C-alpha cells in the first residue's frame, strides 16, 4: 500500500564536487607563541527529504520515505566515516516561532529514525510542541508498513484495523485487546524505524557526537531563517489564505 505519490519527487541525494583546500598562512613566532590551525568543515554530500514525505503540519515521516532512506544509505557508503548533521526547514509563511518549532521536530524525527530512538517519537502522541498530535492514522500507517495491513490510513477505526492491531500485539507477545495504546506503540515504533532504516547509527556518526543534550550540532530546525524555498511577495500573501 502506498501513502505518497511516488511520481512526485520525495527528495534528493547527491555528492558535492571536491573542494580545493585554501593555503595555510602562518607567521613566525618571536617567543613562546604558537600558531593554531583548524580544519574547516567541508560538506561532501547532501540528502533532502521533501515535505511530501511528512504528514501535513506534522513531523510524522510517512512510509514512502523508505526510498529516500535507501538513497541516504547508498550515499553514506560512498562517503564512509563522514559525520551527519540534520537541518529541518519550513516555508517562510505563518508564525515564525511555530515554524521554528515544527522544523526542529522534523529534524528530531529524522534523527530518531536514524538512531532508532523510539522514546523521541512516543511524545509526539501526547504533547508535541508544534504540529498535530499523532493518533490512530499514524499508527495505522506504521502497522501497514511493517506487514499488518489495516486496510487504509484514514484514522477511522475499522474491523480490519482492529484485527491488524491484534495481530501485531500477538506477534510481540502483548495482550491482544485491539487497543493501539502506549504499550503497543512502544513495540510498533521501533519496528517501523527498522523498516525505514534497518541499522541504527551511533552518536559518533553525527557531527557533534551527541555532546549536547539538545542535539546541537547533530540536528536543528531552521524555520524561515534558512528556508528551502523563497516565495514572491504575491505568493507569500496568498498562501496562508489557501491553507
Amino acid at each position: 500500500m502506498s501513502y505518497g505519490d511516488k511520481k512526485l519527487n520525495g527528495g534528493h541525494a547527491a555528492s558535492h564536487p571536491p573542494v580545493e583546500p585554501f593555503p595555510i598562512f602562518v607567521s613566525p613566532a618571536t617567543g613562546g607563541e604558537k600558531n593554531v590551525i583548524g580544519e574547516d568543515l567541508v560538506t561532501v554530500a547532501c540528502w533532502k527529504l521533501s515535505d511530501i514525505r511528512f504528514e501535513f503540519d506534522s513531523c510524522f515521516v510517512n512510509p514512502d520515505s523508505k526510498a529516500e532512506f535507501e538513497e541516504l544509505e547508498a550515499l553514506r557508503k560512498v562517503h564512509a566515516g563522514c559525520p551527519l548533521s540534520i537541518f529541518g526547514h519550513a516555508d517562510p509563511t505563518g508564525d515564525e516561532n511555530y515554524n521554528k518549532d515544527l522544523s526542529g521536530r522534523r529534524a528530531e524525527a529524522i534523527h530518531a529514525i536514524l538512531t532508532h530512538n523510539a522514546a523521541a517519537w512516543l511524545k509526539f502522541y501526547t504533547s508535541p510542541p508544534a504540529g498535530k498530535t499523532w493518533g490512530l492514522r499514524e499508527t495505522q500507517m506504521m502497522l501497514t508498513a511493517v506487514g499488518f495491513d489495516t486496510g487504509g490510513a484514514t484514522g477511522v477505526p475499522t474491523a480490519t484495523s482492529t484485527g491488524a492491531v491484534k495481530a501485531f500485539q500477538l506477534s510481540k507477545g502483548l495482550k491482544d485487546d485491539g487497543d493501539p495504546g502506549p504499550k503497543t506503540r512502544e513495540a510498533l515504533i521501533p519496528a517501523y524505524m527498522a523498516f525505514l532504516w534497518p541499522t541504527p547509527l551511533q552518536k559518533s556518526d553525527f557531527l557533534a557526537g551527541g555532546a549536547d543534550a539538545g542535539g546541537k550540532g547533530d540536528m536543528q530546525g531552521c524555520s524561515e531563517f534558512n528556508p528551502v524555498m523563497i516565495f514572491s511577495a504575491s505568493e507569500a500573501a496568498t498562501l496562508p489564505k489557501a491553507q
Side-chain angles (χ1 to χ4, degrees):
M1 183 174 181
S2 177
Y3 296 97
D5 187 347
K6 289 183 180 291
K7 294 180 181 179
L8 294 175
N9 195 340
H12 298 283
S15 296
H16 288 244
V19 177
E20 291 294 328
F22 288 108
I24 298 173
F25 299 98
V26 295
S27 59
T30 59
E33 306 95 338
K34 292 183 179 180
N35 290 294
V36 178
I37 301 172
E39 186 177 4
D40 290 335
L41 290 173
V42 177
T43 303
V44 298
C46 284
W47 174 76
K48 173 187 174 184
L49 190 66
S50 299
D51 58 0
I52 64 168
R53 295 306 192 219
F54 292 91
E55 289 293 283
F56 177 72
D57 193 30
S58 171
C59 59
F60 181 76
V61 186
N62 70 45
D64 280 340
S65 63
K66 182 174 177 62
E68 282 72 45
F69 280 103
E70 290 173 348
E71 291 180 345
L72 176 59
E73 177 60 21
L75 200 62
R76 277 181 48 77
K77 290 179 180 178
V78 174
H79 301 283
C82 292
L84 290 79
S85 189
I86 303 169
F87 296 84
H89 299 272
D91 292 332
T93 60
D95 181 76
E96 180 180 299
N97 292 328
Y98 181 89
N99 285 343
K100 171 67 175 176
D101 214 357
L102 180 56
S103 64
R105 294 304 159 188
R106 286 185 169 181
E108 183 180 7
I110 296 298
H111 185 273
I113 291 172
L114 297 178
T115 58
H116 287 196
N117 181 5
W121 272 31
L122 286 169
K123 64 185 179 185
F124 297 137
Y125 274 93
T126 54
S127 56
K132 289 188 266 187
T133 302
W134 296 8
L136 183 59
R137 174 177 170 80
E138 287 73 19
T139 298
Q140 289 175 330
M141 283 193 282
M142 287 192 285
L143 280 168
T144 299
V146 300
F148 297 85
D149 196 347
T150 63
T154 63
V156 178
T158 64
T160 304
S161 62
T162 301
V165 172
K166 289 184 176 182
F168 176 79
Q169 290 170 331
L170 285 172
S171 74
K172 297 297 181 181
L174 301 172
K175 181 180 178 181
D176 59 329
D177 56 8
D179 176 21
K183 292 294 183 182
T184 300
R185 294 196 291 265
E186 287 176 8
L188 177 59
I189 290 174
Y192 183 65
M193 289 179 168
F195 161 78
L196 292 175
W197 185 259
T199 305
L201 300 182
Q202 305 303 313
K203 290 181 178 180
S204 57
D205 291 314
F206 292 87
L207 184 61
D212 181 75
K216 185 181 294 184
D218 297 333
M219 57 180 171
Q220 64 177 307
C222 297
S223 184
E224 47 207 83
F225 295 107
N226 187 14
V228 173
M229 181 181 297
I230 300 293
F231 297 114
S232 67
S234 60
E235 289 173 326
T238 59
L239 278 172
K241 299 176 183 178
Q243 293 180 358

